[in-house]
Each structure stands twice: as structure tokens, then as C-alpha cells.
Amino acid sequence: MTQNILCEVSSCVHNVNQENKCGATQIYVVNNKSKNASNSEETDCKTFEPTS
């Protein structure tokens, strides 16, 4: 499994030094519309935590 997770969400605490690299120990992605997503727009990252 890859260790290089990219993310451009600058308002997330896991965005390491705002360099678009996710520093979370694990990533949790879920479907947001149906049971079987057919594209990335139909998924959500539940790992997101807002910066304070």
C-alpha cells in the first residue's frame, strides 16, 4: 500500500505543513450517495478534521 497520500484540503489538520501531503495514520473514505460509487465525486473523506 502506498504511504504517499496527497490531499489539497488546506483546512485539514492532517495536511502536513500545507504541502498537500496527508499525515494521518489512516484514511477513511466512504460513499456519499449510493452503496457503489462509480467516480470520485461520489465519495467523501471521513478522516478530515478542520484546523482551529
Side-chain angles (χ1 to χ4, degrees), residues 32 37-44:
N32 69 11
S38 59
N39 59 55
S40 61
E41 289 81 20
E42 295 177 350
T43 63
D44 289 318

Side-chain angles (χ1 to χ4, degrees), residues 2-48:
T2 183
Q3 297 293 319
N4 191 20
I5 308 296
L6 302 177
C7 179
E8 63 180 33
V9 181
S10 61
S11 60
C12 183
V13 298
H14 300 296
N15 191 330
V16 179
N17 299 321
Q18 302 300 308
E19 295 176 357
N20 295 340
K21 293 183 180 177
C22 183
T25 56
Q26 68 180 22
I27 306 297
Y28 180 36
V29 179
V30 298
N31 293 306
N32 69 11
K33 295 196 180 225
S34 66
K35 299 266 182 200
N36 296 308
S38 59
N39 59 55
S40 61
E41 289 81 20
E42 295 177 350
T43 63
D44 289 318
C45 178
K46 292 290 188 179
T47 309
F48 171 80

